[in-house]
């Protein structure tokens, strides 16, 4: 007998064999539909032995074996198993982005954004034509008078030289005319200073007159030398260099009305070019008196007369316009006997600069498109402290 032989599990096996297989089927059902029907425990003998030895843990052991068997893929499953998706990475990135520090328009601090990053408010600071100045036609016409005045003064100066070179004008007459006009200019200057109520300007004006007298005496002593300065130079070279110097004078002339006391750059370049051109022209004259009178007239015409015109324009726009008309008429009348073509060219150029160029500027201004935004360089604000 098995019980007599001391093998109790055999008898237990016979007893369990006669029982209906309810416990195992219930375990299979508890494993779920994912368990394969062909899956069995790896070792039924060990499970039964465990059940006989530890009856209370029989269900737990068999459930563990069945779960292990169910974890194996069946024979009909695909070779590549389906990957289980990890938590949503886009959600993680969004959460990480929300935890970033807000973007600041600064490159010198470390941020969580690339250097070329801009936010949605970047173009909200865009400004178009913020500093564009809308011009008025009459105002622009008044501003062109400084250009036409200087062009007419150059034409008058060249006409004076041609008449002096041809003998139509003597050096003595030119010296007297320039002296009289200088006295008239000084009186008018005093009246302008009284109008502006600036006594300091009188002192500066007296200093400029002293300097002009000193230069006149110096020119009187150097007149014989300047007359023979370009004796070995051809006339064609002198005419060409004179034209170049007067173009430089016209290009670098100080057309502003703020400089009322002295001559600064680029006005100094313009004055030096005019003096060099005058010296070249004076070297073609035949008498020392003519050279002295012509250079004295050039000094007054290109050094003192422009400052007088600035004073006049500052106190009265109407007086400046009258001066422009008078200079244009005098230049045209003086060149009418020399060359009518140049006289007509001067008239047309004066009309175009005075009335045509302002109209052209206002017409072109409608196509101006100036933009400003956060990409512009920062402008430092400098505070000056005076003790």
């Amino acid at each position: 007998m098995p019980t007599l032989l001391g093998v109790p599990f055999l008898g237990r096996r016979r007893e369990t064999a006669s029982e209906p297989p309810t416990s195992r089927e219930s375990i299979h059902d508890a494993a779920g539909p994912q368990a394969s029907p062909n899956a069995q425990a790896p070792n039924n003998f060990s499970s039964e032995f465990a059940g006989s030895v530890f009856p209370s843990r029989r269900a737990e052991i068999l459930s563990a074996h069945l779960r292990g068997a169910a974890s194996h893929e069946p024979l009909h499953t695909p070779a590549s198993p389906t990957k289980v998706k990890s938590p949503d990475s886009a959600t993680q990135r969004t959460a990480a982005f929300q935890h970033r520090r807000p973007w600041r328009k600064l490159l010198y601090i470390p941020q969580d954004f690339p250097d070329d990053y801009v936010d949605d408010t970047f173009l909200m600071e865009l400004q178009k034509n913020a500093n564009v100045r809308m011009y008025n036609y009459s105002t622009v016409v008044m501003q062109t008078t400084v250009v036409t005045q200087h062009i007419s003064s150059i034409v008058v100066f060249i006409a004076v030289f041609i008449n002096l070179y041809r003998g139509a004008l003597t050096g003595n007459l030119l010296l007297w005319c320039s002296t009289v006009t200088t006295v008239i200019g000084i009186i008018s200057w005093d009246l302008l200073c009284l109008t502006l109520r600036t006594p300091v300007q009188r002192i500066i004006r007296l200093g400029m007159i002293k300097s002009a007298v000193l230069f006149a005496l110096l020119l009187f002593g150097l007149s014989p030398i300047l007359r023979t300065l370009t004796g070995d130079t051809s006339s064609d070279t002198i005419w060409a260099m004179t034209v170049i110097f007067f173009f430089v004078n016209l290009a670098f002339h100080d057309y502003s009305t703020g400089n009322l006391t002295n001559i600064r750059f680029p006005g100094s370049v313009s004055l030096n070019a005019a003096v060099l051109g005058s010296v070249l022209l004076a070297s073609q004259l035949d008498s020392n008196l003519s050279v002295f009178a012509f250079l004295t007239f050039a000094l007054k015409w290109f050094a003192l007369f422009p400052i007088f015109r600035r004073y006049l324009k500052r106190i009265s726009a109407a007086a400046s316009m009258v001066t422009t008309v008078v200079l244009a008429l005098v230049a045209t009348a003086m060149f009418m006997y020399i060359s009518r073509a140049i006289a007509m060219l001067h008239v047309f150029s004066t009309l175009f600069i005075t009335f045509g160029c302002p109209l052209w500027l206002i017409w072109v201004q409608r196509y101006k498109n100036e933009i400003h935004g956060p990409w512009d360089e920062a402008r430092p604000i400098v505070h000056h402290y005076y003790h």
Side-chain angles (χ1 to χ4, degrees), residues 326-347:
V326 171
L327 281 175
L329 292 177
V330 169
T332 303
M334 294 183 68
F335 249 98
M336 190 64 69
Y337 298 97
I338 300 173
S339 175
R340 292 185 178 181
I342 296 178
M344 291 295 102
L345 179 62
H346 173 257
V347 170

Side-chain angles (χ1 to χ4, degrees), residues 72-358:
H72 295 285
E73 294 294 334
L75 296 176
H76 62 274
T77 54
S80 59
T82 305
K83 295 182 179 179
V84 180
K85 292 184 178 180
S86 60
D88 191 359
S89 58
T91 305
Q92 294 179 355
R93 288 195 299 268
T94 304
F97 182 79
Q98 292 177 355
H99 286 84
R100 287 183 177 181
R101 291 178 296 178
W103 177 75
R104 301 172 62 188
K105 194 176 64 177
L106 299 173
L107 288 177
Y108 55 85
I109 60 173
Q111 301 189 69
D112 298 333
F113 301 89
D115 293 341
D116 57 349
Y117 174 81
V118 291
D119 59 354
D120 297 336
T121 62
F122 184 74
L123 291 179
M124 294 178 63
E125 303 179 14
L126 177 65
Q127 298 179 356
K128 290 186 176 181
N129 298 333
N131 301 324
V132 175
R133 179 182 176 184
M134 303 304 296
Y135 296 101
N136 189 12
Y137 180 73
S138 59
T139 304
V140 179
V141 169
M142 294 300 298
Q143 294 296 328
T144 58
T145 56
V146 293
V147 181
T148 53
Q149 284 177 7
H150 191 64
I151 293 175
S152 298
S153 65
I154 293 176
V155 174
V156 169
F157 182 78
I158 295 175
V160 168
F161 167 76
I162 292 175
N163 290 323
L164 192 62
Y165 181 76
R166 291 180 177 181
L169 180 66
T170 61
N172 192 11
L173 180 61
L174 178 61
L175 185 61
W176 278 105
C177 291
S178 62
T179 303
V180 171
T181 53
T182 302
V183 172
I184 296 174
I186 292 173
I187 297 173
S188 302
W189 204 325
D190 288 335
L191 295 177
L192 292 177
C193 291
L194 291 175
T195 304
L196 294 176
R197 296 180 180 179
T198 52
V200 180
Q201 303 295 336
R202 301 180 189 178
I203 300 175
I204 297 175
R205 187 257 305 165
L206 292 175
M208 295 177 64
I209 292 176
K210 293 179 182 179
S211 300
V213 172
L214 179 61
F215 274 104
L217 295 176
L218 183 63
L219 288 175
F220 183 77
L222 295 177
S223 295
I225 301 175
L226 295 176
R227 184 176 62 85
T228 59
L229 183 63
T230 59
D232 298 334
T233 307
S234 63
S235 300
D236 296 336
T237 304
I238 293 174
W239 305 140
M241 292 179 65
T242 303
V243 171
I244 293 174
F245 283 134
F246 279 107
F247 270 113
V248 172
N249 172 264
L250 183 64
F252 289 92
H253 181 69
D254 187 7
Y255 296 101
S256 63
T257 58
N259 185 15
L260 302 177
T261 58
N262 52 9
I263 300 174
R264 297 175 297 184
F265 181 85
S268 59
V269 177
S270 175
L271 179 59
N272 291 331
V275 170
L276 289 175
S278 302
V279 170
L280 291 177
L281 292 177
S283 63
Q284 301 298 308
L285 300 176
D286 53 357
S287 64
N288 295 334
L289 181 61
S290 299
V291 172
F292 171 69
F294 182 71
L295 291 179
T296 305
F297 173 70
L299 181 64
K300 300 172 184 178
W301 196 252
F302 290 109
L304 301 179
F305 189 49
I307 300 178
F308 175 77
R309 297 200 305 263
R310 295 191 193 105
Y311 268 106
L312 195 63
K313 182 176 177 57
R314 185 172 180 178
I315 64 171
S316 176
S320 179
M321 181 62 72
V322 171
T323 305
T324 304
V325 174
V326 171
L327 281 175
L329 292 177
V330 169
T332 303
M334 294 183 68
F335 249 98
M336 190 64 69
Y337 298 97
I338 300 173
S339 175
R340 292 185 178 181
I342 296 178
M344 291 295 102
L345 179 62
H346 173 257
V347 170
F348 287 126
S349 62
T350 302
L351 293 176
F352 176 72
I353 293 173
T354 306
F355 300 103
C357 289

Side-chain angles (χ1 to χ4, degrees), residues 21-92:
T22 56
S23 62
R24 181 170 298 183
E25 292 176 359
S26 62
I27 293 172
H28 277 287
D29 294 338
Q34 294 179 354
S36 175
N38 298 328
Q40 297 178 359
N43 194 348
N44 294 333
F45 178 78
S46 61
S47 63
E48 292 177 0
F49 176 77
S52 62
V53 178
F54 304 102
S56 63
R57 298 195 58 188
R58 180 181 178 185
E60 296 181 4
I61 296 173
L62 290 178
S63 298
H65 281 290
L66 290 175
R67 283 196 301 270
S71 64
H72 295 285
E73 294 294 334
L75 296 176
H76 62 274
T77 54
S80 59
T82 305
K83 295 182 179 179
V84 180
K85 292 184 178 180
S86 60
D88 191 359
S89 58
T91 305
Q92 294 179 355

